[in-house]
Amino acid sequence: MARRENSEINAGSMADIAFLLLIFFLVTTTMDVDSGISRKLSEKPPENYEPPVIKQKNILEININRNDELLVEDERMEIADLKQTTIDFLDNGGGIGKTVEGVPTGACDYCNGEKSDKSSDHPNKAIISVQSDRGTSYGMYITVQNELLAAYTELRNRYAKTQLKGQYAGMSYDDLILLSGNDKENKALKAVINKVKDAYPQIISDAEPTK
């Protein structure tokens, strides 16, 4: 009886096929990208630049210690209260109505705050200073930043809905941003968005972390 020989499988091309499949999945697979926190860095000032004098009441000091405890103006605060506290500070509008060369420097005619003389004069003067500790967790830092951005967004939404006229009347800031994504070449829309941003400019200062 003849002996049957073992059949062999030619696997020479398997490596090529696996390599092609790997390339295919690398090319076609989409990955989530962490865009980080949007910040516009200031330009380097000239040599003889003298920084302006900033009133203490126009600065909201926020500190996050190494235990992830939140202190606002040296007082303990829960993260749930940070957004409203920020809104109250930005929207206070406690300045005295006056202009310098036609530019308003005091009163805010669109602010709905208490107009306290112990808080910010105007949204374009209100500065939020955030100082963390080297032991602060990344999650807590991001949570604080999100609450601050949410405060700005809420104020911008209100301003857009109540102050804009004409074609974009009644639209929120979020609606305008969404619309701009579909119409990036619309200069009139960009001008309206910039107007809303200028009403409540995002001025957040990150102080050097404590050790």
Side-chain angles (χ1 to χ4, degrees):
M1 183 175 178
R3 182 179 178 182
R4 177 181 295 178
E5 295 181 359
N6 293 331
S7 60
E8 296 181 357
I9 300 176
N10 184 5
S13 62
M14 293 296 292
D16 295 334
I17 296 174
F19 184 68
L20 290 173
L21 288 173
L22 178 61
I23 293 177
F24 172 77
F25 286 117
L26 287 175
V27 172
T28 59
T29 302
T30 58
M31 298 182 181
D32 293 333
V33 178
D34 186 3
S35 59
I37 301 174
S38 177
R39 286 289 184 273
K40 182 178 180 181
L41 300 179
S42 59
E43 298 179 358
K44 184 178 180 179
E47 295 182 358
N48 298 328
Y49 175 76
E50 295 184 4
V53 178
I54 301 176
K55 297 179 182 178
Q56 185 61 37
K57 68 175 184 176
N58 285 325
I59 303 176
L60 180 67
E61 295 184 356
I62 299 174
N63 294 277
I64 317 169
N65 64 21
R66 62 178 61 250
N67 298 320
D68 285 349
E69 295 172 332
L70 182 65
L71 293 93
V72 178
E73 297 295 324
D74 295 327
E75 294 185 5
R76 285 281 303 274
M77 179 176 293
E78 297 298 326
I79 191 66
D81 299 324
L82 180 59
K83 176 183 173 182
Q84 187 58 51
T85 299
T86 304
I87 290 175
D88 294 340
F89 169 74
L90 296 173
D91 201 39
N92 179 63
I96 301 174
K98 61 180 180 179
T99 60
V100 176
E101 296 181 355
V103 179
T105 61
C108 175
D109 56 4
Y110 53 82
C111 292
N112 294 335
E114 296 181 356
K115 302 188 184 304
S116 170
D117 59 359
K118 297 180 180 180
S119 189
S120 70
D121 290 329
H122 196 281
N124 60 26
K125 292 184 177 181
I127 301 173
I128 298 177
S129 176
V130 180
Q131 185 174 50
S132 58
D133 185 273
R134 294 189 185 279
T136 302
S137 69
Y138 182 75
M140 181 60 177
Y141 177 81
I142 293 299
T143 300
V144 169
Q145 294 289 339
N146 285 340
E147 292 299 310
L148 298 179
L149 296 180
Y152 277 105
T153 300
E154 181 170 323
L155 289 171
R156 288 174 175 179
N157 280 334
R158 189 196 70 196
Y159 178 88
K161 288 182 177 180
T162 59
Q163 301 296 321
L164 296 184
K165 308 297 181 183
Q167 180 181 357
Y168 303 107
M171 296 184 67
S172 68
Y173 173 72
D174 287 334
D175 292 335
L176 296 173
I177 294 297
L178 183 62
L179 187 61
S180 67
N182 300 324
D183 192 3
K184 297 181 179 180
E185 302 301 323
N186 191 330
K187 294 182 179 180
L189 177 57
K190 289 182 179 180
V192 170
I193 292 176
N194 288 333
K195 178 181 179 180
V196 177
K197 289 182 177 180
D198 290 342
Y200 290 98
Q202 181 181 309
I203 311 176
I204 301 176
S205 171
D206 284 306
E208 182 177 354
T210 57
K211 298 181 180 180

